[in-house]
Amino acid sequence: MPFELKDAQRPESAAEAGEVGDEETESPQSTAEADKKEVRVGLHTRLNNRIIDLRTQTSQAIFRIQSGACTLFREFLLSKNFVEIHTPKLLGAASEGGANVFTVQYFDRKAYLAQSPQLYKQMLITSDFERVFEIAPVFRAENSLTHRHMTEFVGLDLEMVFEEHYHEVLEIIEEMFMFIFKGFKERYSKEIETVRYERFDGYVVDDRRQFSFVQPFELPEDGKVVRLTYSEGIKMLRESGEKIDDFADMTYFLLKTLSNALEHHRRKLSANSSKRSITPTSVSTIVSTLTNALRRPR
């Protein structure tokens, strides 16, 4: 075998602390020193031997957690009378316009990879379906090196009619994320614990765990997350030192600053049990899924 499974699933912090050597960067002269260290398998070797790397407990757990996210997403929406749909991914025209679309040859003419199912969702909503969702690949021709822009990813997408106010959508999204996070704790706690590890007095508790989270999931007791209006978000950003106008767009960097401000606010409130606390899960959910509440007024 090109590497042993125990080396492939060694905690990453061990390498950062110099406790292990990377087998891809070790020089031939350092054999004696390497004998004193445990080897950590690098990404290049993992990808060249992916069928072996997938046998590690960490890789197995990651795939099961990914499957769990889709399962819980589907279960919740079906219970709320959503209809699962499957929309085309080879299109005759760009679905959202712009330059970030992949062009492919479709027999004797050009076709385009779907940037989203948006067009088809809107067609279904106006055809009285009212609530639809899809779990499917999305393609974006964005030449970017950031972790937030990927050329291909699996989208968990939903569309729904609201009768009176867009808060109806926020309530569904809020309840959905609480359902998913609770499902993770109840059904996939073993897999999550396999991926994450904790250090106790400087020692790794279980060396099968490869990645460390800052802290485990913390869910609000009342099942509700904090919502901010656009104006409240602008005010908190200004208090954090950002110089922005009254109608600034909420960019990624501003949302990150706002997330840090909310975490700081949570810590200030943690000693006061009479006030509703903001948990780390609440913060991430606000920034990731309740952005509609922070959109510029139209």
Side-chain angles (χ1 to χ4, degrees):
M1 292 178 63
F3 56 81
E4 296 186 32
L5 294 183
K6 67 177 183 180
D7 294 327
Q9 58 193 21
R10 200 173 306 285
E12 290 203 336
S13 66
E16 296 169 1
E19 299 168 7
V20 299
D22 191 330
E23 52 86 23
E24 293 179 14
T25 59
E26 293 285 350
S27 64
Q29 291 79 14
S30 61
T31 304
E33 182 180 350
D35 289 340
K36 300 177 183 179
K37 290 184 177 181
E38 294 175 313
V39 175
R40 176 174 176 265
V41 181
L43 180 62
H44 184 74
T45 300
R46 290 177 183 275
L47 295 179
N48 281 345
N49 301 274
R50 185 61 168 154
I51 193 170
I52 299 176
D53 184 55
L54 287 173
R55 295 182 63 189
T56 64
Q57 293 186 48
T58 303
S59 294
Q60 296 266 329
I62 289 173
F63 273 81
R64 295 183 189 280
I65 293 170
Q66 182 186 55
S67 173
C70 294
T71 297
L72 294 165
F73 179 79
R74 178 179 285 110
E75 280 184 18
F76 175 81
L77 294 180
L78 290 175
S79 73
K80 297 296 181 180
N81 297 320
F82 280 74
V83 176
E84 184 170 7
I85 59 175
H86 304 283
T87 62
K89 301 308 167 200
L90 278 173
L91 311 180
S95 55
E96 293 187 0
N100 60 339
V101 58
F102 284 109
T103 303
V104 297
Q105 192 68 29
Y106 186 78
F107 299 104
D108 59 346
R109 61 183 185 271
K110 289 184 179 180
Y112 305 88
L113 295 182
Q115 296 161 285
S116 81
Q118 189 63 35
L119 174 63
Y120 297 99
K121 290 190 306 177
Q122 291 174 344
M123 291 171 62
L124 288 161
I125 292 299
T126 56
S127 301
D128 295 331
F129 274 79
E130 294 195 349
R131 295 185 171 195
V132 298
F133 76 94
E134 181 176 38
I135 302 174
V138 176
F139 304 93
R140 299 289 180 93
E142 298 181 2
N143 189 12
S144 175
L145 296 178
T146 70
H147 68 282
R148 291 176 59 85
H149 296 83
M150 296 179 287
T151 55
E152 178 184 1
F153 59 91
V154 175
L156 278 66
D157 213 309
L158 66 89
E159 192 87 10
M160 63 177 281
V161 170
F162 57 86
E163 302 294 336
E164 297 180 3
H165 201 279
Y166 73 88
H167 279 188
E168 297 168 31
V169 181
L170 297 184
E171 288 165 3
I172 284 289
I173 294 175
E174 176 184 75
E175 191 178 348
M176 178 189 72
F177 270 87
M178 288 298 298
F179 180 85
I180 290 174
F181 284 125
K182 286 181 179 178
F184 279 154
K185 295 188 72 171
E186 294 170 0
R187 305 187 204 177
Y188 300 94
S189 58
K190 179 181 178 181
E191 286 78 11
I192 291 172
E193 287 302 310
T194 297
V195 175
R196 70 182 294 270
Y197 70 89
E198 298 174 346
R199 301 184 73 86
F200 180 75
D201 290 338
Y203 296 96
V204 176
V205 176
D206 187 340
D207 63 5
R208 295 175 303 170
R209 301 171 186 174
Q210 196 166 344
F211 304 101
S212 176
F213 296 153
V214 175
Q215 41 186 311
F217 295 136
E218 294 182 35
L219 304 179
E221 294 181 1
D222 60 1
K224 301 292 183 180
V225 299
V226 178
R227 295 182 187 176
L228 299 177
T229 64
Y230 174 85
S231 299
E232 289 171 337
I234 291 293
K235 181 180 178 181
M236 292 186 72
L237 286 168
R238 286 172 175 166
E239 291 173 351
S240 300
E242 295 289 340
K243 296 180 180 180
I244 54 178
D245 61 39
D246 292 338
F247 302 103
D249 286 330
M250 287 291 171
T251 65
Y252 161 69
F253 298 103
L254 289 178
L255 287 174
K256 187 174 182 180
T257 301
L258 183 59
S259 177
N260 292 334
L262 287 167
E263 174 62 14
H264 177 71
H265 185 58
R266 179 192 72 85
R267 292 173 181 173
K268 289 175 62 177
L269 293 179
S270 61
N272 189 347
S273 59
S274 64
K275 293 185 179 181
R276 180 177 163 193
S277 64
I278 304 175
T279 68
T281 300
S282 300
V283 173
S284 62
T285 306
I286 292 169
V287 175
S288 300
T289 68
L290 303 185
T291 311
N292 282 335
L294 295 171
R295 284 183 175 172
R296 178 170 53 193
R298 300 298 180 188

